[in-house]
Amino acid sequence: MSTARATSQKPWRSRRAFDPTRPTLAGLIGRYLLLVFVVIISIGPFLWQLSTSLKGVNENIYSFPPHLIPQEFSIDAYRRVAHVVPIFRYAWHSVIVAAVCVVGNVVLASLAGYALTCMKFRGKKVVMAILLSVLLLPGEVTLTSQYLVIKGMGLANTLTGVAIPGIVGAINVLLMATACGAVPPSVLDAATVDGASTWSKIRHIVWPNIKGMASVVAVFSFIGAWDDFLWPLVVLNDPDKYTLTVGMQYLSSTMSTDPREVAAGTVIALIPIIIVFASMQKVFFRGVEGGGVKG
């Protein structure tokens, strides 16, 4: 009897020994070391730029080993940047362009995604194929044609001309189409039987279930519009209308001898992105994970 009981307990003990949810000490240490390495690679350059921008003119920024904590704390680099380059005006221009792109992508991509997923019309597969083919082409391929269109509309050298090409993106349309596809057709059919219009279905049924993905689209649109450099450089030729990325290039060329000012301008350019992502972090990850249909 005791031998049979011992043999029946051996498989249970072996399964406990190889439980993947309970890593060994070496595996746990390896995970934390990998996590620390990823954090250093991701945040290290930003911390270095922040530290450089806060160091005084008499402090050696190339010392080895490097000092992340400034020994001579100073914000003079930020003052000099604001004095030489109207960086806050450039930042305001970038805010305007990014806001237009965010609103345009959220609204237009949501409507287009609903049409591609929840509506029936001829040529739907052709439209989907065109959107997928656009993703295969780099933006530089259509740069000349976009500029000719913007120039023909009389919007060259304007912030409106900078914002219009980014007002809706193919990838955002596909993301919103995927989110709209999670809504059961039976719910939409029931709303149609009850006499709900298309706008009522979008507002009361579809939108509550895709607003998580809409936050993802908003964050991606803001970052893309804020960091865009090539298109504003092509469209704008008046320094008073530069966006922040183009103004940063001007800052790098005029102050290349002192990296403190360049680092200060870089930190100023990163602050809005950090604020947007930090404020929308919970909604962003909730939208990435997706969710069930709300009643």
Side-chain angles (χ1 to χ4, degrees), residues 137-174:
L137 297 175
E140 291 78 5
V141 174
T142 59
L143 188 65
T144 303
S145 59
Q146 285 183 357
Y147 178 74
L148 293 177
V149 172
I150 294 299
K151 185 177 180 180
M153 297 172 62
L155 298 176
N157 196 31
T158 62
L159 295 178
T160 304
V162 176
I164 284 181
I167 204 169
V168 63
I171 183 63
N172 295 329
V173 174
L174 295 177

Short mmCIF file of all heavy atoms in Angstrom, two decimals, residues 137-174:
data_model
loop_
_atom_site.label_atom_id
_atom_site.label_comp_id
_atom_site.label_asym_id
_atom_site.label_seq_id
_atom_site.Cartn_x
_atom_site.Cartn_y
_atom_site.Cartn_z
N LEU A 137 4.84 51.27 -49.32
CA LEU A 137 5.62 52.33 -49.95
C LEU A 137 6.17 53.28 -48.89
O LEU A 137 5.42 53.71 -47.99
CB LEU A 137 4.75 53.13 -50.93
CG LEU A 137 4.19 52.38 -52.14
CD1 LEU A 137 3.27 53.28 -52.94
CD2 LEU A 137 5.33 51.87 -53.02
N PRO A 138 7.43 53.62 -48.94
CA PRO A 138 7.96 54.63 -48.01
C PRO A 138 7.39 56.01 -48.33
O PRO A 138 6.99 56.29 -49.47
CB PRO A 138 9.48 54.57 -48.25
CG PRO A 138 9.63 54.03 -49.63
CD PRO A 138 8.47 53.09 -49.85
N GLY A 139 7.36 56.86 -47.33
CA GLY A 139 6.77 58.18 -47.52
C GLY A 139 7.53 59.03 -48.52
O GLY A 139 6.94 59.93 -49.15
N GLU A 140 8.83 58.78 -48.70
CA GLU A 140 9.61 59.58 -49.64
C GLU A 140 9.17 59.39 -51.09
O GLU A 140 9.43 60.25 -51.94
CB GLU A 140 11.10 59.23 -49.51
CG GLU A 140 11.74 59.67 -48.19
CD GLU A 140 11.38 58.75 -47.04
OE1 GLU A 140 10.72 57.71 -47.31
OE2 GLU A 140 11.76 59.05 -45.89
N VAL A 141 8.51 58.26 -51.38
CA VAL A 141 8.09 57.99 -52.76
C VAL A 141 7.04 59.00 -53.21
O VAL A 141 7.04 59.48 -54.35
CB VAL A 141 7.56 56.55 -52.88
CG1 VAL A 141 6.99 56.30 -54.27
CG2 VAL A 141 8.68 55.56 -52.59
N THR A 142 6.12 59.35 -52.32
CA THR A 142 5.03 60.27 -52.66
C THR A 142 5.31 61.70 -52.23
O THR A 142 4.41 62.53 -52.26
CB THR A 142 3.73 59.78 -51.99
OG1 THR A 142 3.93 59.73 -50.57
CG2 THR A 142 3.34 58.40 -52.49
N LEU A 143 6.54 61.98 -51.85
CA LEU A 143 6.86 63.32 -51.34
C LEU A 143 6.68 64.39 -52.42
O LEU A 143 6.07 65.44 -52.17
CB LEU A 143 8.30 63.34 -50.82
CG LEU A 143 8.73 64.60 -50.07
CD1 LEU A 143 7.94 64.75 -48.78
CD2 LEU A 143 10.22 64.54 -49.76
N THR A 144 7.16 64.11 -53.64
CA THR A 144 7.06 65.09 -54.72
C THR A 144 5.62 65.34 -55.10
O THR A 144 5.19 66.50 -55.28
CB THR A 144 7.87 64.62 -55.94
OG1 THR A 144 9.23 64.40 -55.55
CG2 THR A 144 7.82 65.67 -57.04
N SER A 145 4.85 64.28 -55.24
CA SER A 145 3.44 64.45 -55.63
C SER A 145 2.66 65.18 -54.55
O SER A 145 1.80 66.02 -54.85
CB SER A 145 2.81 63.08 -55.91
OG SER A 145 2.89 62.25 -54.77
N GLN A 146 2.93 64.89 -53.30
CA GLN A 146 2.26 65.61 -52.22
C GLN A 146 2.59 67.10 -52.25
O GLN A 146 1.70 67.94 -52.07
CB GLN A 146 2.67 65.02 -50.86
CG GLN A 146 2.03 63.69 -50.54
CD GLN A 146 2.42 63.20 -49.16
OE1 GLN A 146 3.22 63.83 -48.46
NE2 GLN A 146 1.87 62.07 -48.76
N TYR A 147 3.84 67.40 -52.48
CA TYR A 147 4.23 68.82 -52.52
C TYR A 147 3.56 69.53 -53.69
O TYR A 147 3.11 70.68 -53.55
CB TYR A 147 5.74 68.95 -52.62
CG TYR A 147 6.20 70.39 -52.73
CD1 TYR A 147 6.16 71.23 -51.63
CD2 TYR A 147 6.63 70.91 -53.95
CE1 TYR A 147 6.56 72.54 -51.72
CE2 TYR A 147 7.04 72.22 -54.05
CZ TYR A 147 7.00 73.04 -52.94
OH TYR A 147 7.38 74.36 -53.04
N LEU A 148 3.46 68.89 -54.86
CA LEU A 148 2.81 69.51 -56.00
C LEU A 148 1.33 69.75 -55.72
O LEU A 148 0.77 70.79 -56.12
CB LEU A 148 2.99 68.64 -57.24
CG LEU A 148 4.42 68.51 -57.78
CD1 LEU A 148 4.47 67.56 -58.97
CD2 LEU A 148 4.98 69.88 -58.16
N VAL A 149 0.69 68.82 -55.04
CA VAL A 149 -0.73 69.00 -54.69
C VAL A 149 -0.90 70.16 -53.71
O VAL A 149 -1.77 71.02 -53.88
CB VAL A 149 -1.31 67.70 -54.11
CG1 VAL A 149 -2.71 67.94 -53.56
CG2 VAL A 149 -1.34 66.61 -55.17
N ILE A 150 -0.07 70.18 -52.68
CA ILE A 150 -0.15 71.26 -51.68
C ILE A 150 0.16 72.60 -52.32
O ILE A 150 -0.51 73.61 -52.05
CB ILE A 150 0.80 70.97 -50.51
CG1 ILE A 150 0.35 69.74 -49.73
CG2 ILE A 150 0.89 72.17 -49.58
CD1 ILE A 150 -1.03 69.86 -49.11
N LYS A 151 1.13 72.64 -53.20
CA LYS A 151 1.47 73.89 -53.88
C LYS A 151 0.34 74.33 -54.81
O LYS A 151 0.03 75.52 -54.91
CB LYS A 151 2.77 73.72 -54.67
CG LYS A 151 3.27 75.01 -55.30
CD LYS A 151 4.59 74.79 -56.01
CE LYS A 151 5.09 76.10 -56.65
NZ LYS A 151 6.39 75.90 -57.36
N GLY A 152 -0.29 73.38 -55.50
CA GLY A 152 -1.42 73.72 -56.37
C GLY A 152 -2.61 74.23 -55.59
O GLY A 152 -3.40 75.02 -56.12
N MET A 153 -2.75 73.82 -54.35
CA MET A 153 -3.84 74.32 -53.50
C MET A 153 -3.50 75.66 -52.87
O MET A 153 -4.34 76.23 -52.16
CB MET A 153 -4.14 73.30 -52.39
CG MET A 153 -4.65 71.97 -52.90
SD MET A 153 -4.78 70.72 -51.58
CE MET A 153 -5.98 71.48 -50.50
N GLY A 154 -2.29 76.16 -53.09
CA GLY A 154 -1.89 77.43 -52.51
C GLY A 154 -1.56 77.35 -51.04
O GLY A 154 -1.62 78.37 -50.33
N LEU A 155 -1.18 76.17 -50.55
CA LEU A 155 -0.91 75.97 -49.13
C LEU A 155 0.57 75.76 -48.83
O LEU A 155 0.92 75.36 -47.72
CB LEU A 155 -1.71 74.77 -48.61
CG LEU A 155 -3.23 74.91 -48.68
CD1 LEU A 155 -3.90 73.63 -48.22
CD2 LEU A 155 -3.72 76.09 -47.87
N ALA A 156 1.42 76.02 -49.82
CA ALA A 156 2.85 75.91 -49.56
C ALA A 156 3.30 76.99 -48.58
O ALA A 156 2.75 78.10 -48.56
CB ALA A 156 3.64 76.01 -50.87
N ASN A 157 4.26 76.66 -47.75
CA ASN A 157 4.79 77.56 -46.73
C ASN A 157 3.72 77.97 -45.71
O ASN A 157 3.69 79.09 -45.22
CB ASN A 157 5.40 78.82 -47.37
CG ASN A 157 6.29 79.59 -46.41
OD1 ASN A 157 6.91 79.01 -45.53
ND2 ASN A 157 6.34 80.90 -46.58
N THR A 158 2.82 77.02 -45.41
CA THR A 158 1.81 77.25 -44.38
C THR A 158 1.73 76.02 -43.48
O THR A 158 2.05 74.89 -43.90
CB THR A 158 0.41 77.50 -44.99
OG1 THR A 158 -0.01 76.34 -45.73
CG2 THR A 158 0.43 78.71 -45.91
N LEU A 159 1.28 76.23 -42.26
CA LEU A 159 1.12 75.11 -41.33
C LEU A 159 -0.02 74.20 -41.78
O LEU A 159 0.00 73.00 -41.50
CB LEU A 159 0.85 75.63 -39.93
CG LEU A 159 2.00 76.41 -39.27
CD1 LEU A 159 1.58 76.90 -37.89
CD2 LEU A 159 3.25 75.55 -39.17
N THR A 160 -1.01 74.76 -42.48
CA THR A 160 -2.09 73.93 -43.01
C THR A 160 -1.54 72.94 -44.03
O THR A 160 -1.95 71.77 -44.05
CB THR A 160 -3.16 74.81 -43.65
OG1 THR A 160 -3.63 75.76 -42.69
CG2 THR A 160 -4.33 73.98 -44.14
N GLY A 161 -0.64 73.40 -44.87
CA GLY A 161 -0.02 72.51 -45.84
C GLY A 161 0.81 71.43 -45.18
O GLY A 161 0.93 70.32 -45.71
N VAL A 162 1.39 71.72 -44.02
CA VAL A 162 2.14 70.71 -43.29
C VAL A 162 1.21 69.65 -42.69
O VAL A 162 1.53 68.46 -42.67
CB VAL A 162 2.99 71.37 -42.19
CG1 VAL A 162 3.71 70.32 -41.35
CG2 VAL A 162 4.00 72.32 -42.80
N ALA A 163 0.04 70.07 -42.23
CA ALA A 163 -0.85 69.17 -41.49
C ALA A 163 -1.71 68.30 -42.39
O ALA A 163 -2.04 67.16 -42.02
CB ALA A 163 -1.75 69.99 -40.56
N ILE A 164 -2.09 68.78 -43.57
CA ILE A 164 -3.07 68.07 -44.40
C ILE A 164 -2.62 66.66 -44.79
O ILE A 164 -3.40 65.71 -44.65
CB ILE A 164 -3.42 68.90 -45.65
CG1 ILE A 164 -4.36 70.04 -45.25
CG2 ILE A 164 -4.07 68.05 -46.73
CD1 ILE A 164 -4.80 70.90 -46.41
N PRO A 165 -1.39 66.42 -45.27
CA PRO A 165 -1.04 65.04 -45.64
C PRO A 165 -1.06 64.05 -44.47
O PRO A 165 -1.21 62.85 -44.70
CB PRO A 165 0.39 65.20 -46.20
CG PRO A 165 0.47 66.61 -46.65
CD PRO A 165 -0.32 67.37 -45.64
N GLY A 166 -0.92 64.54 -43.26
CA GLY A 166 -0.93 63.64 -42.11
C GLY A 166 -2.26 63.58 -41.40
O GLY A 166 -2.34 63.04 -40.29
N ILE A 167 -3.31 64.09 -42.04
CA ILE A 167 -4.60 64.17 -41.36
C ILE A 167 -5.27 62.80 -41.25
O ILE A 167 -6.18 62.61 -40.44
CB ILE A 167 -5.51 65.18 -42.08
CG1 ILE A 167 -6.57 65.73 -41.12
CG2 ILE A 167 -6.17 64.55 -43.30
CD1 ILE A 167 -7.32 66.91 -41.68
N VAL A 168 -4.85 61.85 -42.05
CA VAL A 168 -5.33 60.47 -41.94
C VAL A 168 -4.26 59.56 -42.51
O VAL A 168 -3.63 59.88 -43.52
CB VAL A 168 -6.68 60.28 -42.67
CG1 VAL A 168 -6.54 60.52 -44.16
CG2 VAL A 168 -7.25 58.88 -42.41
N GLY A 169 -4.03 58.44 -41.82
CA GLY A 169 -3.01 57.48 -42.25
C GLY A 169 -3.61 56.12 -42.52
O GLY A 169 -4.60 55.71 -41.87
N ALA A 170 -3.03 55.40 -43.46
CA ALA A 170 -3.56 54.09 -43.83
C ALA A 170 -3.49 53.11 -42.67
O ALA A 170 -4.43 52.34 -42.43
CB ALA A 170 -2.79 53.55 -45.04
N ILE A 171 -2.40 53.14 -41.92
CA ILE A 171 -2.27 52.21 -40.80
C ILE A 171 -3.30 52.49 -39.73
O ILE A 171 -3.84 51.56 -39.10
CB ILE A 171 -0.83 52.29 -40.22
CG1 ILE A 171 -0.65 51.28 -39.09
CG2 ILE A 171 -0.53 53.69 -39.73
CD1 ILE A 171 -0.79 49.85 -39.53
N ASN A 172 -3.65 53.77 -39.53
CA ASN A 172 -4.66 54.11 -38.53
C ASN A 172 -6.04 53.65 -38.99
O ASN A 172 -6.86 53.21 -38.16
CB ASN A 172 -4.66 55.62 -38.29
CG ASN A 172 -3.37 56.09 -37.67
OD1 ASN A 172 -2.73 55.37 -36.92
ND2 ASN A 172 -2.96 57.31 -37.98
N VAL A 173 -6.31 53.74 -40.28
CA VAL A 173 -7.59 53.23 -40.80
C VAL A 173 -7.71 51.73 -40.57
O VAL A 173 -8.76 51.22 -40.15
CB VAL A 173 -7.73 53.57 -42.30
CG1 VAL A 173 -8.99 52.92 -42.88
CG2 VAL A 173 -7.80 55.08 -42.49
N LEU A 174 -6.63 51.01 -40.82
CA LEU A 174 -6.66 49.56 -40.62
C LEU A 174 -6.79 49.21 -39.14
O LEU A 174 -7.49 48.24 -38.78
CB LEU A 174 -5.39 48.94 -41.20
CG LEU A 174 -5.23 49.05 -42.72
CD1 LEU A 174 -3.90 48.46 -43.16
CD2 LEU A 174 -6.38 48.37 -43.44
#
